[in-house]
Amino acid sequence: MTGSDPAVGAGRFAPSPSGDLHIGNIRSGLLSYVRARQTGRRFLWRIEDLDRVKAGAADSQLEIFAELGVTPDEPPVVQSGRAEEYSAAIAKLAADGLVYECYCSRKDIAEAPSAPHAPPGAYPGTCRNLGEGERKSHRRRLEANNRRPALRLRADNREHRVDDVLLGRVDALVDDLVLRRGDGIFAYNLTVVVDDAASGIDEILRGDDLASSAPRQAYLAELLGLPQPGWLHVPLVLNESGQRLAKRDGAVTYQQLRSLGWAVPDFFAWTQQSLGFGDVGGRWKSVDDMISGVDFARMSTAPMVFVAPADS
Ligand code: GLU
């Protein structure tokens, strides 16, 4: 498959180039590639570089996957080059009366009484219905501090649902999420929806820490008149205390494990064991073995614990 036919659907891996990929990120990225290959989709790559960029990380992430035998079917999409598309999406929502300026600081939001039935952390609606006079004075106050208002979606805490291949029905309340932050950076929920649609992504496979964001993103796609993708959230790899893997856990990144002697086939052997597919297709040594061995219908939704070797 050459991968250039947009009529063929696509899957993707969209790591933030904010640091080194750890074994859990690698497992999710490999699963995304395997799913695309098993279902005849293109496999695309997106560099989510709007925030927290570590120099060299985007190239190093692509190199790691190339070593593992995975290359995207098209050149990666780079978010920092797509401001016009994000602005156009906000303009469309604004034309429908669905965008408002928000002048709240994080502290203001934390201290405001929350709206009835809103999930913890949901925006309390402070700036939703301000009059023009109040807006002017808030704008002036922010300008004096060199700040700009954020832009929020008028979503009014509505329930939205998606169906996930592994998790089944995922419901969440959609609050007035941020579309563009006060520092001018386009917000994750907006950029992901605009980019997935523009690339023809019709199934999103990623870690299940983002499952609760899927209803918001689906709702935003609906408002923007974009096609709805399918969803497949895979379990995360956690440390022994049940938290996300981090530096303090020892050798968890690709580079650290390589320097402790792991060869490329060892990553596939570990992935096979971690997914509980030990009895399928012999011992995996390559991504082709993984394509033959992964059975999404038999995949567990339970997180996997990685006991990191001590980082010497
Ligand atoms: N860039 C996000 C991350 O690295 C993933 C975004 C997504 O898959 O929707 O966690």
Side-chain angles (χ1 to χ4, degrees), residues 12 14-16 48 188 192 206 210:
R12 48 72 158 182
S16 303
E48 301 213 324
Y188 160 69
V192 101
R206 60 187 180 187
L210 290 171

Side-chain angles (χ1 to χ4, degrees), residues 8-91:
V8 177
R12 48 72 158 182
F13 185 42
S16 303
S18 52
D20 297 331
L21 291 178
H22 63 58
I23 187 106
N25 307 134
I26 290 169
R27 189 174 88 149
S28 299
L30 288 172
L31 283 168
S32 176
Y33 177 76
V34 163
R35 177 75 174 173
R37 286 292 166 269
Q38 286 185 352
T39 57
R41 290 181 163 90
R42 294 171 295 148
F43 173 71
L44 306 182
W45 189 289
R46 186 164 66 238
I47 299 175
E48 301 213 324
D49 62 343
L50 296 182
D51 200 10
R52 297 179 297 122
V53 173
K54 182 179 160 199
D59 286 342
S60 133
Q61 293 174 342
L62 280 155
E63 281 157 22
I64 289 170
F65 271 72
E67 270 187 42
L68 293 168
V70 172
T71 45
D73 293 325
E74 291 173 19
V77 169
V78 184
Q79 289 195 321
S80 52
R82 293 180 48 74
E84 271 176 37
E85 284 79 358
Y86 307 139
S87 293
I90 293 181

